Amino acid sequence: MPQTARTSDTTGGSHGVQHVDIAVVGAGFAGLYLLHRLRQAGFTAQGLEAGDDVGGTWYWNRYPGARCDIQTTDYSFTFDPALEAAWQWSEKYATQPEILRYLGFVADRYDLRRDIRFGTRVTSARWNEATERWLLTTSAGPSVSCRCYVMASGCLSEPKPPEIDGVASFEGEVYVTGRWPHEGVDFTGKRVAVIGTGSSGIQAIPRIAEQAAHLTVFQRTPNFAFPAHNGPRPAHRVAPLVQDLAAYRAQARQSLSGVPLPRATEFSWQLSDDERRRRFEEALAAGDLVVMLSQLWADQGGDLEGNALAAEHLRGYIRSVVKDPATAEALTPRDHPFGSKRPCLETNYYATFNKPTVGLVNLRQEPIEAITARGIKTARRTVDVDAIVFATGFDAMTGAILAVHPITGRGGQSIDSLWAQGPQTYLGLTVAGFPNLFLITGPGSPSVLSNMAVSIEQHVDWVVDRLIDLRAAGFTTIEATATAQAGWQRHLADCTALSLHRLANTWYTGANVPGKAQGVMPYTGGVGPYRTICDDVVAQGMLGFRLGGPGGKTQCNDGEIVRLQPDARLVLGMMAGMNLPPIESMGAAGARAFVAQFNTTRPAGRPVGEVLDGTLPGADGAPLAWRLYRPATPGPHPIVVYYHGGGWVLGDAASDDPFCRDLCRRSGMIVVSVDYRHAPEHRFPAAPEDGYAALCWVAEHAGQLGGRAGPLLVAGWSAGGNIAAVTCQLARDRGGPVIAGQLLVCPVTDGTTFDRPSYTENATGYFLTRGLMHWFWDLYCSPAERGDPRVSPLQGRLAGLPPAFVVTAEFDPLRDEGIAYAEAMAAAGVPVEQLQARGHFHSSFTMVDVIATAVSGREHMAEALRRFAGTDEAGVLPKAAE
Ligand code: N01
């Protein structure tokens, strides 16, 4: 970073080049705050802004009805309490003119305009490897040579061409919402067409309809919208701000959306119809996107079934407002989950379609063929109009960045070639191969899925703080490594798999721009988790960055910042934050009580057709509990005998209840979860002998249990996986029962060694620790007994075992022995399939409805069970219902 910041030449130097430490492109929320922080930190900075004044998106989007749709309590700068005290918002949702006034007020207060060249576009940017500086060419004024180049150009600032033939031939007026004339437009007495029903269209349409003689709305995809209920700022939202501003802002920074509101914790299947309706009505009355998107029920955002319930309520709302049923139906979204496309807040939008002067053209039924001199021609008609308003959106997230063309980094590589298949970034902030380039709210950061004010401040603070650190350490360059960037892209994909955004064609995915690479661009993992990750990068010595300085000084701490699945990471982080004593320090009784208590805090399992409890005789004749889960589909069903986990010391049917329900629902099979005697009261061989006795009992009583005649299946998790594996060996050696297949989930298979790498790599930090495993082993059996195949099935004879599906988790001490068992069985001729689950830990698969990234693994398990049993998918949950 600049060593002599204050002596930098900021004048138009030789050859018409202006020299500064940092160039900032854009003078919206992000550019303004950047300039303020950079100046405070002693850097010289030049702002470059295409508009004639500050404001960014709020400078350009002056169409009628333009407002923010995050409440003004939250849509503000928060970096300076004095600024917060000096400005009062007049409404719950501020109008565009008020927000523009606010940004002007901020610019004046911190005297920022003097560092901004207005009316100036950056036309190209080139990294000079010899001088380690960027050279920016501009549409006006001198080029800019800078050490760092920051794109603060916004996510939704490059309007998308309408992609409709004939626009130039239209003889009437043409307007684009994102480039609205400053003097305003009077539509009085005119016939107007609006094309597009995203947020801009939904805000503009009612206002244009108030003036126009006739308005025709051309809609390609209906959007979910619900009332904004704008007005004074709600007292209950202002009160926490007044009470404790700092605490409120701190909560916002750690929240998922950048707005500190609680999220629903109950799942839809735990609520009655009446309760769900009550919650919907309450959210509808709140008039708040964040409330509607997060406070109905816990599964509304990531689960299609839970989401469908929310969507149906919203459809009902549309029907309740729009009088003509055909128009209501045309306005009703049915092709995407609620929230997967940006929902909108509306003020009289649906009611506008009740006016006789407003018509709707459904472009799904009659696409636009061309724009003619007099109007718009569809497949069925021509609509003559005096004015056309394009509310057709933006080339989002990447458009404004790639509008600077070319941006050339190290080795002459241009960013558009690197991004040909979609944007690649590290943290959404930096790009490998492009030293000293920063993107504010770039693709790969929460940005548009969050309260932008909060996300912008976090990015600006992170960037400026790094520049300060680097300057202090004598570094002049910073660049993401390829490993870090690839890891971040994987993490983005893991997060995306959890969200429903992947299921809609939207500007989030690039689908709105013909030919654009497709893929969810923003980070879907939430603002708070993202902030923690950015902070972790710093705490871990600038992990994933190469730093350079004079005289060949370098530092590179290469690696990936997130290797766990996002939800596994959150769960482990939460548990670490609880500072629990080690389970092994609690004693067996204490550990059992702890686990029972812990399990009361998890989501209840989902409904199945029937649950029955009973007992069976164990190996010593004493009763053992069983719990049966029957699918809701007609039987008889194949039977899976299931052994719970818990290190032979803990657990019972209740502990693995959600997992058994899930297996039952996904496989379409009866699952009989059987208990076995536990150590230390009953040491080895009580557990495997009970396991075998239970198998025999279920086989004998299969018909009475309502199961299908024929071979059984066995399954187990952890120590239960051990018992399942051992049971298969015993059944083979003792003449039955016949087992059609074994599902071993993170099984214990070998107590003879603890030297495999997974034991060292994952010794601590992933819930099941090396210490805990040692404790379990010691309570269960003596070291001398650990070579017995009934303890360590890996030490046994493996030929002739039933086909197996073996699941292992990357961050599990038991990983390598599970893999070793799978490989050894395969070597012995047993048909084996493996699922080596990347980014998961020992409990990932059994934490049903907590670790959603494990859903696809459980789906694979169910498929394997069905293959073993030779059943088809009839009566089984559709995959899409995950
Ligand atoms: O753009 P959009 P927007 N022929 O892309 C249609 C933020 N924002 O400017 O969905 C016919 O959402 C297109 O149809 P389809 C907010 O984040 C916030 O409205 O692609 N139609 C769609 O209906 C928002 O999400 C506020 O099938 C065509 C519409 O045009 C984002 O900006 C206010 C078409 C475009 O909708 C973008 O919103 C405004 C064609 N060739 C915006 N091409 C606030 O309230 C596109 N469409 C803060």
Side-chain angles (χ1 to χ4, degrees):
M1 291 307 103
Q3 305 299 295
T4 53
R6 291 187 183 285
T7 62
S8 297
D9 174 10
T10 60
T11 60
S14 58
H15 312 296
V17 176
Q18 179 189 6
H19 292 263
V20 287
D21 295 332
I22 291 139
V24 173
V25 183
F29 267 90
L32 292 178
Y33 183 42
L34 259 169
L35 289 173
H36 170 63
R37 282 249 22 222
L38 289 169
R39 191 189 289 167
Q40 274 189 327
F43 294 108
T44 56
Q46 179 62 59
L48 299 159
E49 166 57 54
D52 290 331
D53 199 356
V54 300
T57 197
W58 299 106
Y59 172 88
W60 297 105
N61 285 273
R62 297 167 187 247
Y63 60 85
R67 286 179 190 272
C68 62
D69 58 6
I70 295 286
Q71 295 204 26
T72 45
T73 40
D74 302 282
Y75 194 70
S76 283
F77 282 122
T78 71
F79 63 88
D80 182 353
L83 169 65
E84 297 215 50
W87 180 267
Q88 286 301 314
W89 292 105
S90 65
E91 288 178 278
K92 177 180 173 187
Y93 296 111
T95 60
Q96 174 271 334
E98 186 174 15
I99 302 172
L100 193 57
R101 275 199 305 281
Y102 171 70
L103 292 171
F105 173 78
V106 171
D108 291 341
R109 185 177 175 92
Y110 302 100
D111 189 19
L112 299 175
R113 283 192 176 86
R114 69 178 156 93
D115 286 338
I116 304 170
R117 269 163 53 186
F118 292 106
T120 306
R121 283 185 179 278
V122 178
T123 48
S124 73
R126 186 175 300 277
W127 174 250
N128 183 321
E129 293 188 34
T131 61
E132 293 186 332
R133 293 180 74 85
W134 284 95
L135 181 68
L136 313 186
T137 58
T138 58
S139 61
S143 298
V144 178
S145 166
C146 52
R147 182 69 78 193
C148 293
Y149 160 40
V150 190
M151 287 296 278
S153 43
C155 299
L156 292 154
S157 41
E158 192 67 20
K160 169 185 96 92
E163 306 124 13
I164 301 171
D165 290 342
V167 180
S169 64
F170 181 61
E171 290 170 359
E173 303 157 29
V174 172
Y175 302 102
V176 177
T177 49
R179 291 289 180 269
W180 204 256
H182 288 203
E183 61 282 10
V185 181
D186 184 0
F187 290 110
T188 306
K190 292 186 177 151
R191 297 164 304 166
V192 184
V194 174
I195 302 177
T197 52
S199 301
S200 304
I202 283 175
Q203 286 185 330
I205 283 163
R207 296 291 302 282
I208 294 173
E210 286 168 12
Q211 290 184 336
H214 193 274
L215 170 65
T216 311
V217 176
F218 292 79
Q219 171 195 268
R220 193 162 65 182
T221 311
N223 241 339
F224 286 104
F226 46 94
H229 298 308
N230 193 29
R233 302 201 296 169
H236 71 278
R237 293 292 284 269
V238 178
L241 272 180
V242 174
Q243 275 159 20
D244 191 342
L245 181 71
Y248 184 89
R249 296 303 187 209
Q251 277 173 34
R253 292 178 190 123
Q254 294 304 331
S255 67
L256 284 182
S257 62
V259 179
L261 290 178
R263 302 175 74 80
T265 51
E266 296 89 352
F267 290 78
S268 60
W269 66 87
Q270 296 174 282
L271 305 172
S272 67
D273 289 352
D274 283 350
E275 173 59 12
R276 285 199 298 267
R277 167 149 298 283
R278 191 195 66 72
R279 289 182 177 212
F280 172 74
E281 297 292 349
E282 202 172 280
L284 196 66
D288 188 295
L289 282 177
V290 183
V291 170
M292 188 64 89
L293 283 165
S294 63
Q295 292 193 356
L296 297 178
W297 32 89
D299 50 323
Q300 69 178 99
D303 179 281
L304 276 179
E305 284 180 82
N307 186 277
L309 292 165
E312 202 39 50
H313 279 295
L314 285 155
R315 293 186 190 113
Y317 162 69
I318 299 169
R319 285 192 294 273
S320 75
V321 180
V322 181
K323 291 190 180 134
D324 172 43
T327 306
E329 180 53 29
L331 288 166
T332 299
R334 297 197 182 276
D335 72 335
H336 62 275
F338 169 57
S340 60
K341 197 176 172 94
R342 175 71 143 67
C344 311
L345 290 181
E346 56 107 6
T347 302
N348 295 328
Y349 174 66
Y350 291 117
T352 293
F353 290 91
N354 294 333
K355 289 186 173 185
T357 52
V358 176
L360 179 68
V361 174
N362 183 345
L363 298 180
R364 296 287 174 203
Q365 291 172 353
E366 44 177 317
I368 296 177
E369 291 186 342
I371 292 178
T372 65
R374 293 170 48 198
I376 298 174
K377 183 174 178 323
T378 73
R380 291 187 188 165
R381 60 183 128 166
T382 299
V383 180
D384 288 349
V385 290
D386 305 307
I388 301 177
V389 175
F390 288 98
T392 41
F394 299 89
D395 182 356
M397 308 226 49
T398 54
I401 298 168
L402 299 179
V404 176
H405 186 75
I407 299 174
T408 313
R410 205 180 278 290
Q413 185 180 29
S414 75
I415 210 165
D416 53 345
S417 66
L418 179 73
W419 287 8
Q421 303 306 316
Q424 312 277 311
T425 67
Y426 182 36
L427 305 171
L429 272 163
T430 57
V431 185
F434 294 78
N436 293 9
L437 166 68
F438 294 99
L439 313 173
I440 302 299
T441 60
S445 75
S447 56
V448 290
L449 291 179
S450 68
N451 171 5
M452 288 296 276
V454 166
S455 285
I456 283 170
E457 283 190 341
Q458 185 258 338
H459 260 194
V460 169
D461 286 337
W462 194 93
V463 169
V464 179
D465 290 345
R466 297 300 69 74
L467 296 182
I468 294 169
D469 292 348
L470 268 53
R471 178 176 61 189
F475 289 108
T476 49
T477 61
I478 172 171
E479 182 183 350
T481 68
T483 308
Q485 184 159 292
W488 188 248
Q489 294 305 125
R490 244 191 317 277
H491 177 56
L492 287 179
D494 290 341
C495 292
T496 297
L498 281 174
S499 94
L500 299 179
H501 289 100
R502 67 189 193 285
L503 301 179
N505 291 327
T506 64
W507 58 260
Y508 291 136
T509 67
N512 67 328
V513 176
K516 188 166 174 172
Q518 304 277 304
V520 176
M521 290 183 283
Y523 179 75
T524 57
V527 166
Y530 174 80
R531 174 183 292 269
T532 313
I533 291 168
C534 291
D535 292 347
D536 282 353
V537 165
V538 182
Q540 294 184 40
M542 293 303 287
L543 184 64
F545 284 105
R546 183 176 295 107
L547 312 180
K553 174 176 168 144
T554 54
Q555 173 194 309
C556 183
N557 183 12
D558 204 0
E560 298 172 36
I561 186 62
V562 183
R563 291 181 56 213
L564 280 163
Q565 291 291 334
D567 42 7
R569 181 178 169 277
L570 286 183
V571 167
L572 287 168
M574 200 184 67
M575 292 200 293
M578 292 160 82
N579 280 322
L580 299 168
I583 292 177
E584 59 270 30
S585 70
M586 300 176 183
R592 286 171 192 154
F594 166 77
V595 170
Q597 170 62 28
F598 189 79
N599 285 341
T600 60
T601 62
R602 71 185 171 185
R606 297 194 190 204
V608 296
E610 184 185 24
V611 179
L612 290 177
D613 285 307
T615 59
L616 57 83
D620 66 349
L624 293 174
W626 56 259
R627 179 172 291 175
L628 178 145
Y629 303 86
R630 195 187 311 286
T633 52
H637 306 92
I639 298 181
V640 183
V641 178
Y642 178 83
Y643 303 99
H644 65 76
W648 309 282
V649 176
L650 315 170
D652 50 26
S655 64
D656 290 29
D657 179 83
F659 185 43
C660 289
R661 287 172 184 268
D662 194 79
L663 271 185
C664 167
R665 285 166 57 89
R666 288 183 195 283
S667 67
M669 296 181 191
I670 290 174
V671 175
V672 185
S673 176
V674 295
D675 209 352
Y676 48 88
R677 281 169 293 165
H678 287 162
E681 296 86 346
H682 304 280
R683 287 166 64 89
F684 170 77
E689 292 301 339
D690 279 351
Y692 179 66
L695 179 80
C696 294
W697 186 88
V698 173
E700 282 163 22
H701 297 81
Q704 286 153 268
L705 295 172
R708 197 180 73 174
L712 299 173
L713 300 109
V714 299
W717 168 60
S718 192
N722 171 274
I723 292 170
V726 170
T727 302
C728 289
Q729 295 191 13
L730 295 179
R732 176 200 58 194
D733 297 342
R734 296 178 182 178
V738 179
I739 297 173
Q742 49 179 327
L743 167 64
L744 310 179
V745 184
C746 305
V748 188
T749 68
D750 190 10
T752 63
T753 174
F754 300 94
D755 291 340
R756 292 186 175 89
S758 58
Y759 252 97
T760 316
E761 292 166 15
N762 308 312
T764 60
Y766 301 104
F767 199 47
L768 179 65
T769 62
R770 185 186 175 96
L772 182 56
M773 272 315 295
H774 280 300
W775 184 67
F776 284 145
W777 274 110
D778 290 343
L779 293 184
Y780 181 47
C781 66
S782 68
E785 292 168 315
R786 293 182 192 171
D788 189 317
R790 289 174 300 163
V791 174
S792 298
L794 185 57
Q795 301 301 324
R797 186 173 65 85
L798 303 182
L801 289 174
F805 189 80
V806 181
V807 181
T808 51
E810 185 179 3
F811 297 99
D812 182 358
L814 304 181
R815 177 193 69 204
D816 293 343
E817 65 192 78
I819 293 172
Y821 193 58
E823 289 175 351
M825 282 194 291
V830 177
V832 177
E833 289 171 75
Q834 282 196 60
L835 171 64
Q836 297 183 10
R838 179 179 59 78
H840 283 290
F841 67 109
H842 187 67
S843 308
S844 283
F845 293 100
T846 51
M847 292 188 127
V848 178
D849 292 315
V850 175
I851 310 272
T853 48
V855 164
S856 70
R858 289 201 306 273
E859 184 56 42
H860 286 305
M861 295 178 205
E863 281 167 8
L865 289 173
R866 287 198 294 270
R867 267 197 306 280
F868 295 153
T871 55
D872 59 18
E873 297 202 15
V876 167
L877 268 185
K879 270 194 197 163
E882 287 168 4

